[in-house]
Amino acid sequence: MPGEPDPEVLTLDQAFRAAFVMADQYLELEREPDEGLILFRQYLQSDPARWDDWKAAVRRVLNDDAGTDPLTENLHRE
């Protein structure tokens, strides 16, 4: 909601849905979206392994071994 502060914490479900919505938003904006992103979105929506893959990705980030941080180059972080 506009004007409301961003939450400090999300559940795994909320974060997963946010990633899915972000992919949807990007695909809606692009006239000719990348086929890989289309396939990734389909995977997020339909592949039974997606939940285990998501939890593994979250664990990697929490253990700080996910590699580069895409936010450091593109966003101002406090």
Side-chain angles (χ1 to χ4, degrees), residues 16-78:
F16 183 87
R17 290 195 324 258
F20 184 83
V21 167
M22 186 174 175
D24 266 355
Q25 288 173 340
Y26 180 82
L27 290 172
E28 288 174 10
L29 291 173
E30 290 296 308
R31 250 183 26 171
E32 296 180 29
D34 179 71
E35 184 177 336
L37 185 58
I38 293 169
L39 293 173
F40 178 68
R41 185 201 172 279
Q42 290 172 347
Y43 154 78
L44 289 178
Q45 188 172 26
S46 62
D47 190 324
R50 72 186 176 269
W51 189 247
D52 289 333
D53 293 345
W54 175 254
K55 290 189 299 184
V58 169
R59 281 192 299 276
R60 284 185 63 193
V61 169
L62 292 174
N63 291 327
D64 204 26
D65 64 350
T68 59
D69 183 350
L71 296 178
T72 58
E73 293 181 15
N74 300 314
L75 296 176
H76 179 318
R77 296 181 84 176
E78 297 175 21

